[in-house]
Every structure is written in structure tokens, then in C-alpha cells.
Amino acid sequence: TTTTTKKNLFPPPSRFEWNKYNQTHYDSDNPPPKIVQGYKFNIFYPDLIDKTNTPQYSLTPVPDEPGFCILKISTGPPYEDIAFKIVNRQWEYSHRTGFRCQFSHGIFQLWFRFRRERYRR
């Protein structure tokens, strides 16, 4: 058997952030760099033995790269833990901004957006 490594087929949503700084220094012909706005994780656990044991997530910083952290999602048997390398920014925890962390019908959903940093002189 051979092991293949696949690239992420669905990159996280990234777009321009038109804050006051970017409005004064960029325009539509010369746009600012795109930044990651947030992530949506939908993980299926159809064969979970203990359905009362909900999946848990934890964040650990990457020592070599300060701009990234490891998001680890762990459940019970028969599944192993999975980890994702994500951007290390502060999360919005309000349901109005799209935060969702729930486990129902064998699907663990973790959706979050990053807090917008306001430009101040």
C-alpha cells in the first residue's frame, strides 16, 4: 500500500479587509493582501461507540511559527485525534458572528470567524 498526501481541496475563505488603513493606502486596482476570515469544520463520526461523549477541541501554539496554532479535535474510540494547522488569531464567540460548536446526529461542527482588528492611529 502507498500513502498519498493530498493538498487541502477547500482553502479557508479569504478576502480583502477594507479597514481605514487599507482604504487610504490601497484601491480597487491595487488591492490589499487577502486575509483568512475564519474556518468551518464539519467532521462526521457515524460509528462513535459512546454517543454521550462529545468531541473536544484544543488549541496549542506552534513554537517555530508564531502566526499559526494547532487545532486538535479528539473523540473516543474507534476514532483517532485529528489536527489542523490554522492561523493564530483571536476568535469571535458570538452566535451572531457565526460561531457554532455542536455535536448532533454524528456530526461535529466547529465554525468560527476571527475578530476584526480596528485600525487606530
Side-chain angles (χ1 to χ4, degrees), residues 71-112:
L71 172 70
K72 183 175 119 179
I73 301 172
S74 58
T75 60
Y79 297 103
E80 293 183 4
D81 298 346
I82 51 176
F84 300 95
K85 183 178 176 182
I86 64 171
V87 178
N88 190 10
R89 290 177 56 197
Q90 195 170 8
W91 295 9
E92 282 281 353
Y93 287 102
S94 172
H95 70 281
R96 291 184 179 190
T97 58
F99 180 78
R100 177 182 289 182
C101 181
Q102 69 180 15
F103 180 66
S104 65
H105 304 294
I107 302 171
F108 176 66
Q109 293 182 323
L110 179 63
W111 299 358
F112 59 90

Side-chain angles (χ1 to χ4, degrees), residues 12-19 22 33-39 57 59-62 65-71 84-93 99 112-119:
S14 60
R15 56 185 150 152
F16 305 119
E17 186 171 357
W18 290 105
N19 55 20
N22 288 345
K34 288 187 175 185
I35 62 168
V36 175
Q37 301 289 319
Y39 292 93
Y57 70 90
L59 292 170
T60 54
V62 178
E65 300 176 72
F68 293 95
C69 64
I70 301 293
L71 172 70
F84 300 95
K85 183 178 176 182
I86 64 171
V87 178
N88 190 10
R89 290 177 56 197
Q90 195 170 8
W91 295 9
E92 282 281 353
Y93 287 102
F99 180 78
F112 59 90
R113 296 185 78 182
F114 294 123
R115 182 169 292 186
R116 292 185 59 190
E117 298 173 6
R118 303 289 181 203
Y119 172 69

